[in-house]
Amino acid sequence: MAELKVLFATSEVAPLIKTGGLADVSGALPAALRAIGVDVRVLVPGYNPVMSQLAQHGVAATFDGLLGFPSARLLSGKMANDVPVFVLDCPSLYQRGGGPYQNTSGHDWADNAQRFGLLSKVAAVLGSSASPLNWHPDLIHCNDWQTGLTPAYLHFAQGAVPSVMTIHNLAFQGIFPPATLAKLHLPPSCFSINGVEFFGSLSFLKAGMFYADHITTVSPNYAKEIQQEALGFGMQGLLTTRRASLTGILNGIDTDEWDPASDKYLAKTYNNTHMTGKAANKEALQSKLGLNLEPDVPLLGVVSRFTEQKGLDLLLEIAPLLTKLPVQLAMLGSGDAQMQKTARDLSHLYPGKIGVVIGFSEELSHQIEAGADMFVMPSRFEPCGLNQLYSQRYGTPPIVHATGGLVDSVVDCTAATLKDGTASGFMFSGMNAENLFDAIQRAVDLYHDQRKWKALCKNCMSKDFSWESSAEAYRVVYLKVLGR
Ligand code: ADP
Ligand code: GLC
């Protein structure tokens, strides 16, 4: 019998549905936990792409008018990696065009409180004596605001199991008007500073952080940063109060999915000892994005959501200067309309030097990790960040701002770190365009010393970012919460 049973509640899971790193984590961490004997099952809403990819499933339960929510079914199936998954099938809430959180015009769905209220509620039902299932989890692992109400519902439920709340990004808090509380059937008494209230509104994430038995976040450094005003997004007081129950655990990566030695999207695979294939990927990327086929001009890669968080405004600001170094720029991303326009305009102003693709492409994201010489991530804040982990694995040193998980996963290149073999990228402090430019300049200078540059790339590729040790750290948290 499995030692521990955990329901992993999430609003996205790769490869079924993905908008960012949460999906990657939800796809890989449960598998890593299962590999060390934890019986983890995933709960995710039945959006269109999820329903169409769930090949075979059974109906595990039906919920008819649960607390006034529309009727829903719980389907059970398996992910491609064999992780069992419960899909919450409620067509009126989840089966529509657009994305998981927003419509095609980029506006939040007006009924998000209902949509993720139901997800939170169902997770809590499965962790209480009202559960219709035969499989009874020992605890519920919640992720981000979309499952933030689960710990609150559990608090008021009969026979409830404990919960762990993971913060992947404190900037998204699930804030709704106070009247939403009654619609979600939470008692008025919890609308208080000691409850779900946050500056006069209902906050799903605050609810999760207040009621969960333990809080984790996705890097040790971010766990410290969110207890301070600058990056606490108003939650620093609560998080400081709860610091004894707050743990930072660095994300790992799916080392099968992200492996330059076997990646199906690459023009040529390569590894730590035979890196020559990397040049073919650079050429393929240059062709694909209409860049000049210049093997010796350093190529900077970007794969990102276009938001304030990612600091790409700084990169766009200095892009004209960068082309003179010279470097080339390959960008893939989408989001903020103004940033999309600026990036597109730059690609027209600097043809052959700046290549931009606006959109979401799994394939191109792998090709940029492999084909670029350096990867740029000037995030203003970054709870963990996965792209800098992928880029290191692909021998593409990242250039990063010293924040969050970037500090925990990249070692700045200096004479000393190059010598001792730990250097793995370039880091700048002080969030401004000049400092970013200097870091890129340092990278370009080293690039032109190919012997040192190759050593740096090899350092990157030999780092271990697998989930193993982090999955073990989550297991330790689970056991602690359960008092075992
Ligand atoms: P965040 O979750 O804040 O967006 P992460 O670095 O943790 O940042 O994870 C982002 C994930 O989403 C990575 O797997 C990255 O490759 C992927 N991604 C982001 N933008 C795109 C895009 N436009 N096309 C394909 N993948 C993308
Ligand atoms: C969030 C964060 C990112 C993190 C990801 C997965 O989207 O912005 O830093 O890597 O979640 O935990």
Side-chain angles (χ1 to χ4, degrees), residues 457-468:
C457 297
K458 288 201 173 190
N459 290 350
C460 288
M461 291 186 80
S462 54
K463 287 175 82 166
D464 178 10
F465 291 118
S466 68
W467 266 106
E468 234 162 73

Side-chain angles (χ1 to χ4, degrees), residues 12 18-25 168-169 172 218 251 258 302-307 309-310 331-335 357-366 369 375 377 379 381-390 406:
E12 49 183 277
K18 167 167 166 177
T19 70
L22 171 60
D24 294 22
V25 172
H168 296 265
N169 196 335
F172 300 108
V218 290
N251 285 334
W258 295 90
V302 172
V303 179
S304 185
R305 291 184 291 115
F306 285 4
T307 62
Q309 174 189 345
K310 300 295 177 179
M331 283 185 96
L332 165 65
S334 63
V357 174
I358 303 295
F360 197 93
S361 163
E362 198 64 38
E363 177 177 321
L364 183 55
S365 73
H366 286 241
E369 297 288 5
F375 194 91
M377 238 172 133
S379 308
F381 65 94
E382 195 61 79
C384 177
L386 296 173
N387 278 308
Q388 83 284 6
L389 306 181
Y390 300 145
L406 301 174

Side-chain angles (χ1 to χ4, degrees), residues 81-92:
N81 61 3
D82 263 0
V83 173
V85 60
F86 294 115
V87 171
L88 181 55
D89 176 29
C90 181
S92 62

Side-chain angles (χ1 to χ4, degrees), residues 40-85:
V40 186
R41 306 189 184 192
V42 172
L43 171 69
V44 67
Y47 318 106
N48 281 336
V50 174
M51 298 302 285
S52 60
Q53 287 174 77
L54 191 71
Q56 293 199 318
H57 62 257
V59 179
T62 53
F63 299 104
D64 286 321
L66 185 72
L67 289 183
F69 286 107
S71 296
R73 299 187 306 167
L74 198 62
L75 309 178
S76 78
K78 274 201 171 177
M79 310 259 304
N81 61 3
D82 263 0
V83 173
V85 60

Side-chain angles (χ1 to χ4, degrees), residues 188-205:
S189 64
C190 71
F191 195 72
S192 112
I193 187 159
N194 291 313
V196 306
E197 186 266 350
F198 184 64
F199 292 104
S201 293
L202 160 66
S203 163
F204 275 47
L205 186 62

Side-chain angles (χ1 to χ4, degrees), residues 16-283:
L16 300 180
I17 177 84
K18 167 167 166 177
T19 70
L22 171 60
D24 294 22
V25 172
S26 304
L29 172 59
L33 283 161
R34 290 185 74 83
I36 55 171
V38 184
D39 177 6
V40 186
R41 306 189 184 192
V42 172
L43 171 69
V44 67
Y47 318 106
N48 281 336
V50 174
M51 298 302 285
S52 60
Q53 287 174 77
L54 191 71
Q56 293 199 318
H57 62 257
V59 179
T62 53
F63 299 104
D64 286 321
L66 185 72
L67 289 183
F69 286 107
S71 296
R73 299 187 306 167
L74 198 62
L75 309 178
S76 78
K78 274 201 171 177
M79 310 259 304
N81 61 3
D82 263 0
V83 173
V85 60
F86 294 115
V87 171
L88 181 55
D89 176 29
C90 181
S92 62
L93 292 185
Y94 305 127
Q95 285 190 44
R96 44 179 84 164
Y101 318 121
Q102 297 181 329
N103 61 22
T104 40
S105 328
H107 296 117
D108 288 353
W109 293 112
D111 55 354
N112 270 349
Q114 283 287 307
R115 298 171 74 238
F116 297 109
L118 178 64
L119 177 65
S120 296
K121 178 67 190 176
V122 167
V125 167
L126 300 185
S128 74
S129 48
S131 174
L133 302 184
N134 293 328
W135 181 80
H136 296 286
D138 298 307
L139 69 80
I140 314 290
H141 185 158
C142 308
N143 293 277
D144 274 353
W145 75 264
Q146 294 88 348
T147 50
L149 286 191
T150 301
Y153 283 127
L154 283 168
H155 181 79
F156 297 105
Q158 298 289 319
V161 300
S163 58
V164 171
M165 180 81 229
T166 296
I167 306 163
H168 296 265
N169 196 335
L170 198 55
F172 300 108
Q173 303 185 344
I175 308 270
F176 298 95
T180 317
L181 192 75
K183 293 185 197 145
L184 296 173
H185 297 267
L186 280 162
S189 64
C190 71
F191 195 72
S192 112
I193 187 159
N194 291 313
V196 306
E197 186 266 350
F198 184 64
F199 292 104
S201 293
L202 160 66
S203 163
F204 275 47
L205 186 62
K206 157 91 189 286
M209 296 189 301
F210 183 79
Y211 288 108
D213 295 274
H214 200 94
I215 305 167
T216 73
T217 189
V218 290
S219 69
N221 191 38
Y222 192 61
K224 284 190 224 141
E225 289 174 344
I226 56 179
Q227 294 179 50
Q228 286 150 24
E229 197 181 339
L231 292 180
F233 287 94
M235 301 288 185
Q236 61 275 12
L238 171 60
L239 288 163
T240 306
T241 310
R242 296 218 59 193
R243 65 183 175 277
S245 307
L246 169 62
T247 310
I249 301 174
L250 193 70
N251 285 334
I253 63 174
D254 183 330
T255 48
D256 294 328
E257 189 58 32
W258 295 90
D259 183 0
S262 61
D263 192 322
K264 61 177 185 280
Y265 298 122
L266 303 196
K268 194 157 186 200
T269 55
Y270 57 96
N271 62 35
N272 207 350
T273 41
H274 297 98
M275 279 197 62
T276 45
K278 205 167 185 320
N281 288 293
K282 179 172 179 177
E283 191 180 334

